[in-house]
Structures are given as structure tokens and as C-alpha cells.
Amino acid sequence: MTRWTSFALAAAMALAASAAAAQTVILVRHGEKVDDSADAALSEAGLARAQALAQVVRQAGITQVFSTPLQRTRATVAPAAQAAGLPLRDLDLEGGVAVHAARTAATLRALAADDIALVAGHSNTIPDIVRALGVTDAADIADCEFDRLTLIELDEGAPRVIIARYGAPSGTC
């Protein structure tokens, strides 16, 4: 992990841990998968990334954990959920990406004001969820990018966003 990444993650987790009366949402794409099948499991690298995520969010004090029902997303956040003693809550993928993103954003906005939610999704869903939460300039995620962590603090003003990296670098596409 680079010095900048360490600093960014420390800042992100400090923001999440100190967020008073603001919902905090931490969004990640699932870890690396073993193949391109519809419901692929995580590879060794993906399992290592899931452990790294659990270490990173340990300081944040997560109170909710969400995942799509596919095994790769569930396995990505399972170590963090287990460490925090939290159940995994499924996010419905029915209706397509736009419907899923809007429904997920509504679910997240309906949480308590001091909740800190961890969300695992996919390269084609996380950017749309981020946009649905009010971050208009959210970047797309490349097929080979697995290390992006997006932290959003939601309150009555514009969302505050921190983009960080965690785990082993994904490399370039």
C-alpha cells in the first residue's frame, strides 16, 4: 500500500467513524473472481482482498452490510460482516442496473442518520449507485479494477466523497 493510499484510507475511516448525524456509505466492487461464469466464486486474490477490506473497515464501525445475492459479492464483505457481528443484507438485482441503483440508494438513504453501511456490488452497478446517491461525477469501474473504495458521507448538503484504494493494487487493464 502506498503512503497516499494509507493516508487516504486513514482519512476515510476517520471520517466514517466521526460522522455525526450523517449517513456514511462505503462502496466496493467484489474481489477478483475465479472465472467469468454468472455466479463465480472469488479467486485466491479475491479472498485476500476480502480480508484486506475487513481490516480497512474495522476502524469505521460499520453498522450495516449489503451485498448483491451473488457469491462473489457476498464473499467480499462476509469477513467484514463477521468481524462486526452483522448479518449480510441482500440487494435485489431485479429490474436492471438503473432500477437496482435507485432502489439501493433509497435503501441506504432510509437508514438511520448515524449508520455506516458497507456495500458490495459490481463494476456496472457501483458507479450508478454512487450517482444515485448524488455524486454526479462518479467514474466508471474498469473490468480489471478491484481495489477502489468509495466513501460517501450523506447529509443535507452535497455528498462528501473520498476515493481510496485497498488491498493489493489491481494493476492496469
Side-chain angles (χ1 to χ4, degrees), residues 135-151:
V135 181
T136 57
D137 61 347
D140 288 338
I141 298 175
D143 284 341
C144 67
E145 184 180 2
F146 297 95
D147 61 350
R148 184 191 311 177
L149 179 146
T150 303
L151 184 141

Side-chain angles (χ1 to χ4, degrees), residues 127 130-138 152 159-161:
V130 171
R131 290 180 196 111
L133 290 170
V135 181
T136 57
D137 61 347
I152 305 172
R160 288 179 292 285
V161 181

Side-chain angles (χ1 to χ4, degrees), residues 7-173:
F7 173 76
L9 282 175
M13 294 308 113
L15 177 64
S18 68
Q23 293 167 324
T24 302
V25 181
I26 302 165
L27 300 110
V28 297
R29 178 191 183 189
H30 60 77
E32 294 87 337
K33 52 191 180 168
V34 294
D35 58 39
D36 289 330
S37 62
D39 193 14
L42 291 180
S43 67
E44 291 293 323
L47 292 169
R49 185 168 307 284
Q51 292 299 322
L53 178 62
Q55 292 299 316
V56 166
V57 301
R58 176 172 282 147
Q59 304 173 87
I62 57 174
T63 59
Q64 303 281 338
V65 181
F66 295 90
S67 168
T68 65
L70 299 177
Q71 67 176 323
R72 62 185 171 272
T73 51
R74 293 179 64 77
T76 297
V77 293
Q82 184 175 14
L86 298 169
L88 283 175
R89 296 178 59 187
D90 281 338
L91 296 169
D92 188 356
L93 284 171
E94 296 298 317
V97 173
V99 171
H100 165 71
R103 189 174 37 242
T104 299
T107 297
L108 295 169
R109 288 192 178 279
L111 296 175
D114 60 350
D115 268 327
I116 300 170
L118 174 61
V119 179
H122 306 272
S123 62
N124 67 328
T125 64
I126 292 295
D128 282 357
I129 295 168
V130 171
R131 290 180 196 111
L133 290 170
V135 181
T136 57
D137 61 347
D140 288 338
I141 298 175
D143 284 341
C144 67
E145 184 180 2
F146 297 95
D147 61 350
R148 184 191 311 177
L149 179 146
T150 303
L151 184 141
I152 305 172
E153 186 179 80
L154 303 168
D155 59 18
E156 294 172 17
R160 288 179 292 285
V161 181
I162 296 174
I163 305 293
R165 303 288 174 179
Y166 75 99
S170 290
T172 57
C173 296

